Amino acid sequence: MQFDSHVRTLLAAACALVDGLTPGHDGTTPYDVPRGPAAVAAARAALVSQGRASRVTAAQAAELAGWAERVRAVFAAGDAGRVDEAARLVNALLDDTSARPRLDRFDDGWSLHFHGPDDGVVLGWMAGIASALALVVGSAWAGRLGVCDADPCDRVFLDETRNGTRRYCSPRCQSRVKAAAHRARAAT
Ligand SMILES: [Zn+2]
């Protein structure tokens, strides 16, 4: 299944929002939720549409961090094969963001976009992200939501490989696991 560019933008934002605004580990480094200007920078870096970062206030960044926790739970459920749970979580996000589809006119024609009750940065983006996650969970791509397998890392990704074999958030985590396996073999 191919997602159009609007949905791909939203899924990239979902991953970046979780990675930027939820605590855990990035590789082997503990990751704390950034505060103040650092939280604003992380939110701006996540919410990029057509090369443009969104305007985000400190209060909005804090609000987005709360939503990011809920998006992380969807990735965790999808990664663990708990599709029913992922679907329930996404339905709750759709309800709470009042997500609605709408046809918008662009230079190259009409395109289906998702909106919130208003186009404020928080609900505007979160309604879109909830809708994009619904398209993933309600398709053969449900198992493509991933959490990095390279313990203790817990950064997230959408597996877009042909066979759905991606296990790590980044080449960095993949090579760390490979090197550890190599050392373990060499030691025996
Ligand atoms: Zn990782």
Side-chain angles (χ1 to χ4, degrees):
M1 179 171 175
Q2 288 291 337
F3 297 113
D4 76 12
S5 68
H6 177 53
V7 173
R8 296 172 70 92
T9 295
L10 292 166
L11 293 171
C15 290
L17 208 59
V18 171
D19 288 349
L21 292 177
T22 65
H25 280 81
D26 181 5
T28 54
T29 311
Y31 187 88
D32 290 327
V33 181
R35 304 271 170 219
V40 170
R44 283 178 53 88
L47 306 181
V48 176
S49 177
Q50 290 167 339
R52 288 208 313 273
S54 301
R55 287 173 185 279
V56 181
T57 65
Q60 287 166 335
E63 221 182 306
L64 285 162
W67 288 104
E69 283 289 355
R70 294 178 63 178
V71 175
R72 169 177 284 286
V74 175
F75 276 85
D79 182 67
R82 300 191 304 265
V83 180
D84 292 350
E85 181 187 339
R88 271 195 305 277
L89 293 169
V90 170
N91 275 338
L93 285 171
L94 290 169
D95 285 345
D96 294 346
T97 59
S98 304
R100 60 190 174 94
R102 190 169 192 287
L103 286 166
D104 288 336
R105 184 83 162 92
F106 292 89
D107 290 345
D108 54 351
W110 292 93
S111 166
L112 184 65
H113 275 213
F114 305 105
H115 294 262
D118 56 52
D119 283 325
V121 70
V122 175
L123 284 183
W125 272 98
M126 290 314 307
I129 286 171
S131 305
L133 289 170
L135 287 172
V136 172
V137 172
S139 74
W141 280 63
R144 299 300 192 100
L145 298 171
V147 180
C148 187
D149 269 357
D151 188 53
C153 184
D154 58 8
R155 302 299 94 179
V156 302
F157 58 88
L158 179 71
D159 180 357
E160 296 186 78
T161 59
R162 183 185 294 269
N163 301 321
T165 50
R166 180 168 167 186
R167 293 176 56 198
Y168 306 107
C169 69
S170 60
R172 174 204 59 186
C173 274
Q174 182 171 21
S175 45
R176 180 160 57 80
V177 169
K178 254 192 202 158
H182 182 77
R183 279 196 304 276
R185 272 197 306 279
T188 52

